[in-house]
Amino acid sequence: SKLVDSKDASAPSEIRVITRDVNSSKARALGGLPGVKLFEADSCNPSSLVEAFRDVQRVFVALPQALPAEQMVSVGNGIADVAKACGVKLIVRISSLGIDSMSTPFLEDQGPLGNSHVACEEHIKSIGLIVTSIRPTSFFTNFNYDLPGILQHSRFSSPLGKSAKVNWISLTDIGNVSARALTHHEWDGKVLDITGPAENCLGAVDMQNLLTELMGKPVEYVEQELPASQDYRSLWRFLRAGGFDVYNDNVLKVTGTAPVSFRGWVSQALDEAKQAGK
């Protein structure tokens, strides 16, 4: 939805949006926007995408975060194969900053999840399609998982440790960059590492202090063990090593707009969660 909201005057007259349920409230809201046409399909079943991809030149792909690494490769490659068969020329896809040496900086690989992004992008290029790789740091919305514990128990937990920092980026910024990459040829085939501003690089103690200030009472940080799943264990090792402790001005360069501050977003998210709980 952030991508569709972000389209500008140079966008094509029709944007096709794929959803598993065209009757859901979110789908109906998108379908009511000018120039948007809904298609019911499932990205995890690539053959269902044929109708939506027919006569399309450029496709945006954001795979579900919940997919395990092995399935991410099979689904991602399947989407690319269907796109190729339908005559698509370019895929703009959401990846992750630091998955390989095409990112700046590159510290170490992210393990299975990062390697699955690399495999998908290599496959896209191997079948003759152009791939534009949008590589963000940590989404603001990842923090939503912590809100109940913060509000109910004044506590948040994470496997990040106490020294590493992570940069946070807004879905609005990701959507704006993706929209530009989808509708402007100057970004074709590029790797776009995107981050929030420098102030969005926060460690667990920084987060604890920020939340304590915004909540008006002490908030505790509880350090968790690394996850048992190898996919996420490797990712958190990457984060602990400082893989997302980085910022750049690429959001501004691509969109002309400065990236969103995490502080403002989390303050609003806390207020909205408090109101919803009343």
Side-chain angles (χ1 to χ4, degrees):
S1 65
K2 294 296 182 183
L3 175 66
V4 174
D5 292 341
S6 301
K7 74 169 188 166
D8 58 29
S10 63
S13 58
E14 179 181 277
I15 292 181
R16 299 180 178 183
V17 175
I18 295 168
T19 174
R20 286 175 292 183
D21 182 5
V22 295
N23 294 313
S24 71
S25 58
K26 288 184 178 180
R28 290 199 304 271
L30 288 175
L33 295 174
V36 173
K37 184 175 181 180
L38 297 179
F39 286 80
E40 191 163 275
D42 185 350
S43 61
C44 291
N45 177 18
S47 63
S48 70
L49 304 171
V50 172
E51 183 181 358
F53 282 2
R54 189 173 289 119
D55 301 321
V56 167
Q57 298 292 305
R58 303 165 74 85
V59 168
F60 171 76
V61 175
L63 296 177
Q65 283 186 288
L67 291 181
E70 185 175 346
Q71 190 178 4
M72 190 183 295
V73 174
S74 62
V75 170
N77 289 357
I79 292 171
D81 291 339
V82 171
K84 173 70 173 180
C86 291
V88 171
K89 304 300 182 186
L90 173 139
I91 292 177
V92 176
R93 69 185 305 277
I94 297 297
S95 181
S96 181
L97 187 146
I99 58 170
D100 62 18
S101 59
M102 297 295 290
S103 280
T104 304
F106 171 64
L107 299 180
E108 58 184 67
D109 70 51
Q110 294 182 9
L113 290 173
N115 293 341
S116 67
H117 281 300
V118 174
C120 287
E121 294 180 7
E122 288 178 346
H123 179 74
I124 292 168
K125 289 184 275 191
S126 75
I127 61 175
L129 299 183
I130 301 169
V131 58
T132 300
S133 181
I134 311 293
R135 300 185 175 184
T137 48
S138 186
F139 300 177
F140 280 8
T141 48
N142 290 340
F143 192 72
N144 285 335
Y145 296 107
D146 292 305
L147 288 178
I150 294 167
L151 293 174
Q152 296 172 21
H153 307 294
S154 298
R155 180 190 308 124
F156 79 102
S157 56
S158 165
L160 184 62
K162 293 184 178 178
S163 60
K165 294 190 176 186
V166 165
N167 180 276
W168 297 81
I169 186 168
S170 165
L171 290 186
T172 297
D173 291 325
I174 298 171
N176 287 340
V177 169
S178 299
R180 293 287 295 186
L182 193 61
T183 58
H184 292 72
H185 292 272
E186 65 188 290
W187 308 110
D188 288 3
K190 299 285 200 268
V191 168
L192 294 174
D193 292 318
I194 57 173
T195 76
E199 68 191 66
N200 287 12
C201 290
L202 300 168
V205 175
D206 299 320
M207 294 287 288
Q208 180 182 17
N209 293 336
L210 174 60
L211 293 168
T212 293
E213 177 187 343
L214 295 176
M215 291 286 290
K217 59 181 178 179
V219 173
E220 180 188 8
Y221 167 60
V222 178
E223 183 177 346
Q224 294 178 318
E225 296 293 325
L226 290 171
S229 161
Q230 187 59 45
D231 285 4
Y232 287 97
R233 191 177 187 85
S234 297
L235 177 59
W236 279 104
R237 281 177 175 159
F238 167 83
L239 296 175
R240 281 186 170 187
F244 277 0
D245 185 7
V246 60
Y247 66 93
N248 58 45
D249 60 356
N250 286 343
V251 170
L252 178 61
K253 286 180 179 177
V254 175
T255 69
T257 302
V260 177
S261 163
F262 181 75
R263 179 189 180 91
W265 178 88
V266 76
S267 177
Q268 181 178 346
L270 287 168
D271 288 343
E272 290 175 353
K274 289 176 186 176
Q275 292 299 319
K278 287 183 177 179

